[in-house]
Amino acid sequence: MKIILLLSLGVTLFSQGLGNTLDSCQGRCGNWANSAYSCQCNPPCERNRDCCSDYYNLCKGSTSCKGRCGEQYNSQNQCHCNTKCSQYNNCCSDYSQQCGGGSGGGEPITDSELKALSELLYSLDSNKASPSELVIDKQARVSDSQTSSKKDLSLKPLFSFLDESSLFSKPTFAAFLALLDNYQRYTGQSEKFSSAQLKEQDTFLQEVISNTEIGRELYTFFHSKGLYSSEAEFIYDLKMMWFGLYSRSNNAKDSSGFEHIFAGEVKKGKVSGFHSWIQFYRLEKNGLMNYYSHSFDGPWTSFPDMLGMQFNWDGYFKQVGSAIIGSSPEFDFALYSLCYIARPGRQCFLSLGGQTLVIQTYTWDNSYYGDGKKFIASGFPATPRALLQHPFLLNPEEEL
C-alpha cells in the first residue's frame, strides 16, 4: 500500500511539473529557461514538466519577496519583486524590506542621493594616484567591431610609471595587495584560505572602512538609512557578500565577489571579471599581462579615470575589461559596495567630478548567506554610451 501511495504521489508531482528538485526557484521566478539549471521557474515549465519543486510556492502562490528580488516580471505572480513594481504599484508588501539591501528594510535610496554621495567620496579620495605617481600610455584605440580581434596593437605596456614606494606603502594599498595572491584563477578548483589569509581579509576591511574617510562616510550613509545598526554589522555583511565563497563550476567553492572583480578569474578559456587597475599593473610588471588596446575612455582628464581595455592575461583573452584607473582601493571598494547594496543587479548612476559613471552589478542567485542574502557575482564600470555600444556587457553569461 505504501509503495502504491508513493508512486501515486510521484505521478501527481510529475503531472504538476515538479519532477526536478535539484535546484530552487529562489531569485529565478520568471527567468528565461536556462540549461545550466536542472529545473526551471517560468510558466512554460508547467507545460514542459521541468519546474523546480518550490516553483508553485515561490513563484505563483507567494506574496513575499524573500528569495525573489530582481526577478523578471511574471503576470501569474500575485505580487512582484523587481525594480518596476513601485512604478506599477504591484510590489509585494515586504519588497523594501527584502530587496532594499543591507540588513533589511531601511529608507529608499534615491538616484540624487547616490550622485551626491559618490561626489563626496570622489572628493575624499586622498590616496588616489597623482600625475607624478602614475603615468599610463593608452596607445591604440579600437572601434567596437575590433574588440574581438585579439590583435596586440600597442607595442608598449599600459603603465609607463608607478611610484610604488609612495602608493603601495599606504595602508589600504598594502592591505589590498596582500589579498591578490590568495586566489588561483581557474574556476572549478576550490579556494582554500589559511588563518593568515582570513586575517588579511579582516585587515583589508578594517583599513578601507574604519580607517578612511571614504569608508566612514559610506557607513554613515547606510546607517542613516536604517540599513545597518553598527559599523561592526556593516563590516560583517561586507565580508560575507564580498569574500563569501560560492561555486561557479563543478560544485567547488571556487569564487567570490572580491576574487571575480578585483583578482580576476579564468572560466571556459576566457578571462572573467578582472576590473582592478592595481592587479593589472602587478601582472603587467611581472610579464603576465599584455595590453592590446582600449575601446573606450572615460571623460576624466585626471585620476581616477576609466578605460575599457583589450588584453591577454598569460594566454587568456579579455574582449573588454573595464576598470577605474588611478583610484585608491577604498574608493573602488566603496563605489562597488554602494551600488551593490543600493542597486543590486542593476545599473547604478553615479557622479564623479560632474561626470556620469555607471556601475553595473550582478547578484549571485544560486546560493546565499545569512537570511537569503545574495553574494556579489560581478560588478564593473561603464559609461552610459559604452553600455549601449557594448550590449554583451549587459549579458551576465559573458561577464560571469
Side-chain angles (χ1 to χ4, degrees):
M1 180 63 71
K2 289 182 179 180
I3 295 175
I4 295 174
L5 288 174
L6 288 172
L7 288 173
S8 176
L9 177 59
V11 171
T12 301
L13 292 175
F14 185 76
S15 67
Q16 290 178 347
L18 301 180
N20 208 325
T21 61
L22 296 180
D23 284 310
S24 169
C25 282
Q26 283 204 345
R28 297 174 52 212
C29 293
N31 287 4
W32 296 109
N34 186 336
S35 59
Y37 294 99
S38 63
C39 57
Q40 307 303 326
C41 304
N42 49 40
C45 76
E46 299 175 55
R47 180 178 64 253
N48 298 329
R49 297 182 176 181
D50 60 353
C51 299
C52 295
S53 60
D54 54 6
Y55 168 72
Y56 285 89
N57 286 334
L58 285 183
C59 302
K60 297 193 71 174
S62 176
T63 58
S64 171
C65 282
K66 186 175 182 179
R68 297 172 55 199
C69 299
E71 69 183 16
Q72 293 188 23
Y73 175 76
N74 183 343
S75 61
Q76 297 189 37
N77 291 346
Q78 295 185 34
C79 58
H80 305 279
C81 305
N82 53 49
T83 57
K84 292 186 177 181
C85 69
S86 298
Q87 176 183 345
Y88 292 99
N89 197 31
N90 58 9
C91 298
C92 297
S93 60
D94 62 350
Y95 172 71
S96 296
Q97 178 182 2
Q98 294 293 335
C99 306
S103 57
E107 300 176 9
I109 297 174
T110 67
D111 287 346
S112 61
E113 287 175 322
L114 289 176
K115 291 179 179 179
L117 180 59
S118 56
E119 283 288 3
L120 175 59
L121 300 180
Y122 179 73
S123 69
L124 292 175
D125 192 11
S126 58
N127 285 336
K128 67 183 178 183
S130 68
S132 64
E133 294 172 318
L134 173 61
V135 179
I136 61 174
D137 186 356
K138 301 174 186 177
Q139 301 171 77
R141 180 164 184 169
V142 299
S143 66
D144 303 331
S145 61
Q146 294 175 293
T147 58
S148 61
S149 65
K150 299 184 181 181
K151 293 182 179 180
D152 183 1
L153 302 176
S154 300
L155 299 180
K156 294 180 290 184
L158 173 63
F159 290 92
S160 300
F161 171 75
L162 180 72
D163 188 344
E164 289 190 24
S165 62
S166 174
L167 285 176
F168 287 178
S169 62
K170 296 178 179 180
T172 55
F173 278 87
F176 181 81
L177 286 164
L179 294 170
L180 294 179
D181 62 359
N182 293 349
Y183 301 95
Q184 60 81 28
R185 61 181 175 172
Y186 298 103
T187 60
Q189 300 180 16
S190 296
E191 298 288 358
K192 297 180 181 179
F193 302 121
S194 66
S195 58
Q197 290 173 330
L198 292 173
K199 178 62 177 176
E200 288 173 352
Q201 296 175 5
D202 293 331
T203 299
F204 173 76
L205 290 169
Q206 185 72 25
E207 290 295 345
V208 299
I209 300 300
S210 301
N211 296 345
T212 68
E213 289 186 275
I214 286 177
R216 291 191 292 268
E217 284 293 339
L218 184 66
Y219 164 68
T220 298
F221 175 76
F222 285 133
H223 177 69
S224 71
K225 290 293 182 180
L227 296 178
Y228 299 96
S229 60
S230 68
E231 184 179 287
E233 180 188 0
F234 180 46
I235 289 177
Y236 176 78
D237 198 43
L238 290 174
K239 183 173 183 177
M240 294 303 298
M241 72 173 69
W242 276 100
F243 293 100
L245 292 174
Y246 50 81
S247 176
R248 291 183 186 269
S249 179
N250 295 336
N251 293 317
K253 296 289 187 180
D254 60 352
S255 186
S256 68
F258 185 91
E259 178 182 6
H260 183 82
I261 294 173
F262 291 120
E265 298 178 298
V266 172
K267 181 179 180 181
K268 298 180 180 179
K270 296 181 180 180
V271 177
S272 182
F274 200 122
H275 303 287
S276 167
W277 76 268
I278 299 172
Q279 174 73 322
F280 196 108
Y281 166 81
R282 173 177 171 267
L283 294 169
E284 189 176 61
K285 177 186 176 182
N286 292 327
L288 300 174
M289 180 65 69
N290 187 359
Y291 171 70
Y292 282 5
S293 56
H294 68 284
S295 53
F296 59 90
D297 186 2
W300 297 274
T301 56
S302 61
F303 300 124
D305 196 2
M306 194 272 287
L307 282 179
M309 300 168 286
Q310 293 69 53
F311 56 85
N312 186 299
W313 177 15
D314 194 25
Y316 299 96
F317 180 65
K318 180 78 173 184
Q319 184 172 348
V320 178
S322 56
I324 303 172
I325 307 293
S327 50
S328 68
E330 61 265 33
F331 182 75
D332 285 4
F333 190 76
L335 289 194
Y336 287 124
S337 298
L338 172 63
C339 286
Y340 186 76
I341 294 171
R343 300 287 186 271
R346 299 163 54 187
Q347 294 179 34
C348 175
F349 290 83
L350 306 176
S351 180
L352 309 181
Q355 302 287 348
T356 297
L357 175 71
V358 178
I359 298 289
Q360 171 74 49
T361 65
Y362 289 107
T363 61
W364 187 256
D365 296 335
N366 299 339
S367 56
Y368 305 86
Y369 71 93
D371 187 17
K373 293 182 180 180
K374 296 182 179 181
F375 299 105
I376 294 174
S378 187
F380 53 85
T383 64
R385 180 181 179 186
L387 285 169
L388 292 173
Q389 291 180 337
H390 298 270
F392 59 83
L393 287 178
L394 298 178
N395 180 357
E397 291 301 318
E398 183 73 28
E399 170 60 22
L400 303 182

